[in-house]
Structures are given as C-alpha cells and as structure tokens.
Amino acid sequence: MTALPPARKLVEVSPAELTARLPEALALYVNAMRYPRGTAEQRAPMWMAHMTREGWRCVLALDEDDELVGIGYGYHGASGQWWHEQVRHGLTLVSGPAAAQEWMSDYFELTELHVLPSAQGAGIGEALLRELLAGVSSPRVLLSTPEGTSRAWKLYRRVGFVDVLRHYQFTGDPRPFAVLGRELPVD
Ligand SMILES: CC(C)(COP(=O)(O)OP(=O)(O)OC[C@H]1O[C@@H](n2cnc3c(N)ncnc32)[C@H](O)[C@@H]1OP(=O)(O)O)[C@@H](O)C(=O)NCCC(=O)NCCS
C-alpha cells in the first residue's frame, strides 16, 4: 500500500474514463511541464492514440474534491513505435545490439508522469509511479527525461532507475535526454 498525503487517493482509470477527463489531464500536464498554451490541443490526439496501445495503464491522483492533482500513464513498448525506434537506434550505437535487445524486448514505457505544481513535493509523484508500476506485467520499465537535476531525476533515482542511455538527442528536439530503466517489480 502506497502512503499518500491525507485526502488524496490514487485510482486506475480506463481509456474511456481518461478521455472524459482529457482536457483536465492535459491542462495539468501543460501546467506541470510549463509548456506554452496550445500544447494541450496538439497533444490530445497523441494521448488518445496511446490509449489504444497494448498494456496501456493509467493512474490518477485525486484530491478530496475529486480534482486531478497527478497523472501517470504508459504502455507496452513495441517495434514501430517512434520512441521505441529512437531509443533502440541510440542504444544500439552506444551499447550494441545485445544490450538494446535485452532492454527493449519486453518493457513498459513510462510515457507521462506529472503532478500539479501546487501539489508537488509531498510524495504524490512517487506514490503515483509505484502504483502505476505495481500493475505492470512486463519485466522492466523504461522512460526518457531531459538531462538535468529536476525533481523527476531525484524521484527516479530514489525508486531505483539506472542509466540506460545518456545525453541522447531525439530527432526534432535539441535537448539532451537520458533514458532510464529498472527491472520490475519495484519493492
Ligand atoms: C516529477 C514529478 C512528477 C514528481 O512528483 P512530486 O510529487 O513532486 O515528487 P515526489 O513524489 O518525488 O515528492 C517527493 C518530495 O516530497 C517530499 N515529501 C514530503 N512528504 C513526503 C512523503 N510522505 N512521501 C514522500 N515524499 C515526501 C520529499 O522530501 C521529496 O522532496 P524533494 O523532491 O524536494 O526531495 C513532479 O515534480 C512534476 O510533475 N514535475 C514536472 C513534470 C515532470 O518533470 N514530469 C516528469 C517528466 S519526465
């Protein structure tokens, strides 16, 4: 059982349930990432497409009024997906095809994890992450995050994520990213 601050709860939602809350969820995402207005509209079709992928799993953190304060989701990574192909390419170049195969043959891609800025720093992100991963059947999880010293980094390290690929540039994004991963389950 994951400890949470008082008056907060974690709920797993179906694609239909997230679709019903999509504007709220995308507003939270844009707010947490400090992205410009308009990003939400751009991302909506992508989030909808993700919901159809095998192994899609989403957990929401809600406050006492059932308002959304956090969201985490991901799905089973597979050949042909943009992120999968980008990471496989980078990992093959840096670590060789055997390492790429080992990490990427059966994994859950943690795609999004966000907490409302006003609710950050209280353990909600970690609780969301643990709850999301607790229901994953793949033997490992992978994610990408911008290089730096963000709260996300501290969280992933605390939960045992290790370096898979560092300072990687995804096509079309000038920022260096890290790909982190860990075996599942998380204790
Ligand atoms: C990354 C993110 C999801 C983490 O969520 P969070 O709720 O802020 O982070 P955590 O659950 O790790 O909170 C732990 C912090 O709360 C503190 N805390 C207070 N009470 C706590 C409790 N009961 N349990 C655990 N931590 C507690 C910890 O000391 C820690 O503080 P620190 O990060 O300053 O060291 C969130 O900061 C976020 O949305 N960031 C912007 C978006 C983003 O970067 N997403 C990831 C993209 S890859």
Side-chain angles (χ1 to χ4, degrees):
M1 185 66 191
T2 313
L4 264 187
R8 297 271 162 69
K9 62 185 173 193
L10 299 176
V11 289
E12 184 185 355
V13 288
S14 66
E17 287 166 328
L18 181 59
T19 301
R21 301 190 78 141
L22 199 58
E24 192 187 1
L26 285 165
L28 185 156
Y29 158 74
V30 168
N31 194 346
M33 296 297 282
R34 304 189 188 286
Y35 282 151
R37 282 162 182 260
T39 311
E41 289 75 12
Q42 281 171 11
R43 294 300 169 110
M46 192 185 296
W47 283 36
M48 296 288 289
H50 288 167
M51 290 181 214
T52 67
R53 290 187 173 173
E54 186 197 332
W56 183 87
R57 176 170 163 78
C58 177
V59 175
L60 304 181
L62 304 175
D63 70 9
E64 63 272 28
D65 300 318
D66 273 350
E67 300 284 338
L68 196 58
V69 294
I71 180 168
Y73 83 74
Y75 45 78
H76 190 260
S79 300
Q81 294 169 359
W82 183 85
W83 192 90
H84 177 99
E85 297 303 336
Q86 291 272 313
V87 174
R88 177 182 280 276
H89 175 72
L91 193 52
T92 302
L93 284 178
V94 172
S95 305
Q101 180 62 21
E102 193 176 332
W103 274 109
M104 307 201 71
S105 57
D106 183 1
Y107 70 98
F108 180 79
E109 182 195 327
L110 175 67
T111 315
E112 305 291 351
L113 182 71
H114 308 287
V115 171
L116 205 60
S118 58
Q120 288 175 14
I124 296 172
E126 182 172 343
L128 258 178
L129 178 60
R130 288 179 177 278
E131 187 72 15
L132 183 65
L133 297 180
V136 168
S137 56
S138 301
R140 58 192 67 85
V141 52
L142 291 173
L143 62 86
S144 55
T145 191
E147 292 279 352
T149 52
S150 64
R151 181 166 262 159
W153 265 95
K154 283 166 67 181
L155 167 58
Y156 298 140
R157 288 298 194 220
R158 196 164 62 243
V159 176
F161 280 78
V162 298
D163 290 347
V164 176
L165 184 60
R166 295 292 305 270
H167 305 284
Y168 186 61
Q169 257 180 279
F170 287 89
T171 303
D173 193 331
R175 297 173 296 172
F177 277 78
V179 177
L180 306 179
R182 69 153 290 157
E183 303 295 317
L184 295 175
V186 177
D187 303 327

